[in-house]
Amino acid sequence: MNYILTNSYEAMSKKAASLICAQILMKPACVLGLATGSTPIGAYKQLAALFKAGELSFKGVSTVNLDEYCGLQETHPQSYRTYMNDNLFNHIDIKKHNTYVPDGMASDYAQECAKYDKTIHELGGIDLQLLGIGNNGHIGFNEPGEEFVMDTHRVLLSEDTISANSRFFENEISNVPTAALTMGLRGIMHARKVVLLACGKAKFEIIDRALYGPVTPKLPASILQLHPDLTVICAKEC
Ligand code: F6R
């Protein structure tokens, strides 16, 4: 594991963007696994700036997102498709048809999940997977449980996650979707490189337990201890 501690959110974001940039320069037709939430927004800003400066092109890049809420139209302001368009895709030259986010409105979730895993497989797997971490140790929406779930699947969001994400839904818990589709742990663990971001003291305890405690499905991020190419970038302040 490569552990990088930075002093600020900006420094963490710049470091993450520079690793993603290096990945694209090394393999212009690479597959990026992308996360949403507050943590990666700064890295996406940095990537958009690199594109604007003419230093980076996403023309050959494909992306697969970790997750999407069930029951939100992709045009909903809080859907992860909207988030990706607003924070990254609308600011770079990526071809939209090469960007994949699970369809949270699919009528047959099992079929949609199987299709998503097939897509990842057909793309040749993920070259670099970007991750944040939930306060309860989730990655993607792989919530704490009794077993590691390997395939893309529908998950009922934990109370912790619903409460944490209510800040995106006018702080109203009842507005937060209760279920999501999430990439499973195989997609994440088979990524050739994983970059995990965490910022602020609130995340330090869970990062510490995930990286140095027992590997257990009760703390899904702990499985990353088994990943052969994991870079963790933390920021002291958020
Ligand atoms: C979102 C995702 C989640 C978030 C996690 C942390 O696609 O995969 O695992 O990374 O909930 O969210 P923030 O960054 O908002 O603290």
Side-chain angles (χ1 to χ4, degrees):
M1 175 182 68
N2 187 11
Y3 181 84
I4 302 168
L5 180 61
T6 62
N7 283 325
S8 67
Y9 179 73
E10 204 193 351
M12 178 196 76
S13 303
K14 275 195 174 148
K15 188 71 206 168
S18 80
L19 291 179
I20 296 169
C21 179
Q23 172 65 64
I24 297 170
L25 294 176
M26 228 163 48
K27 184 179 174 187
C30 67
V31 179
L32 300 178
L34 298 178
T36 58
S38 313
T39 312
I41 289 177
Y44 295 150
K45 275 206 178 100
Q46 298 287 341
L47 289 172
L50 287 168
F51 166 70
K52 206 171 165 203
E55 289 176 34
L56 191 59
S57 170
F58 294 78
K59 268 192 189 132
V61 173
S62 301
T63 63
V64 280
N65 261 79
L66 283 166
D67 38 25
E68 180 60 282
Y69 290 115
C70 289
L72 293 193
Q73 298 282 354
E74 62 174 34
T75 51
H76 187 285
Q78 293 306 331
S79 81
Y80 286 164
R81 167 57 77 180
T82 298
Y83 169 106
M84 288 312 304
N85 287 343
D86 290 352
N87 287 297
L88 186 64
F89 299 154
N90 288 347
H91 309 287
I92 58 176
D93 62 345
I94 198 160
K95 295 180 184 136
K96 282 269 174 71
H97 63 264
N98 288 336
T99 66
Y100 299 88
V101 179
D103 179 3
M105 292 298 289
S107 52
D108 184 336
Y109 289 133
Q111 197 181 55
E112 172 62 16
C113 292
K115 192 174 122 198
Y116 207 66
D117 282 334
K118 191 161 173 262
T119 300
I120 296 171
H121 180 73
E122 285 172 357
L123 287 168
I126 296 166
D127 289 297
L128 185 153
Q129 175 66 56
L130 186 64
L131 294 176
I133 184 170
N135 298 324
N136 63 0
H138 72 214
I139 47 177
F141 274 139
N142 290 277
E143 297 282 36
E146 294 307 315
E147 56 180 27
F148 290 119
V149 184
M150 301 313 278
D151 295 332
T152 296
H153 58 286
R154 179 173 186 266
V155 63
L156 293 178
L157 298 177
S158 69
E159 279 180 26
D160 277 343
T161 299
I162 291 176
S163 158
N165 287 8
S166 63
R167 70 194 195 278
F168 301 115
F169 291 85
E170 295 156 342
N171 289 317
E172 183 50 61
I173 283 186
S174 62
N175 289 342
V176 185
T178 53
L181 301 185
T182 183
M183 191 190 290
L185 293 167
R186 184 181 300 107
I188 296 171
M189 289 301 284
H190 281 190
R192 289 178 264 284
K193 183 171 194 57
V194 173
V195 177
L196 170 65
L197 306 182
C199 71
K201 291 197 182 69
K203 292 276 170 80
F204 276 30
E205 196 216 321
I206 195 70
I207 281 283
D208 197 57
R209 282 172 47 214
L211 300 178
Y212 302 107
V215 175
T216 163
K218 294 186 167 54
L219 203 169
S222 64
I223 200 173
L224 296 172
Q225 290 182 38
L226 302 177
H227 197 281
D229 189 346
L230 169 67
T231 298
V232 182
I233 313 175
C234 289
K236 287 183 190 158
E237 305 293 339
C238 221

